[in-house]
Amino acid sequence: MEIRSVQKYWHVPSDSNIYDKGFVGESRMVGVVGASDAICATWFGGKLEYVHGINIMPVTPITEALLPAAYVKEEYEQLAG
């Protein structure tokens, strides 16, 4: 259940309908979820690599279930671009 919630509210694939289209274009991952908003930043900075890095740590055997290959492909393209 926790993995499904993370994939729905923290991971933002291009076909997500959870957040505004502007947010979906900006990031593939949420840094902070509030009661009425979501932002792509962390308390220590707003760089995309900070947001993605802090949300995938620690890498453990279950990380493969948390980060499906299709999502990682989209995420990688955004971070590499």
Side-chain angles (χ1 to χ4, degrees):
M1 186 165 91
E2 192 170 326
I3 286 178
R4 286 193 311 249
S5 297
V6 168
Q7 291 172 339
K8 184 168 187 148
Y9 297 106
W10 292 84
H11 299 170
V12 188
S14 59
D15 62 350
S16 175
N17 61 1
I18 297 295
Y19 302 110
D20 295 336
K21 290 296 178 195
F23 186 85
V24 173
E26 174 188 326
S27 179
R28 297 286 170 254
M29 190 172 284
V30 174
V32 178
V33 175
S36 62
D37 67 347
I39 61 172
C40 181
T42 67
W43 63 270
F44 52 86
K47 291 184 177 183
L48 288 179
E49 53 266 42
Y50 296 169
V51 174
H52 291 262
I54 196 68
N55 279 312
I56 66 167
M57 292 187 336
V59 176
T60 66
I62 198 67
T63 302
E64 185 175 0
L66 178 65
L67 300 168
Y71 174 74
V72 171
K73 183 179 184 304
E74 278 192 56
E75 182 182 31
Y76 179 80
E77 288 170 359
Q78 184 182 43
L79 289 169

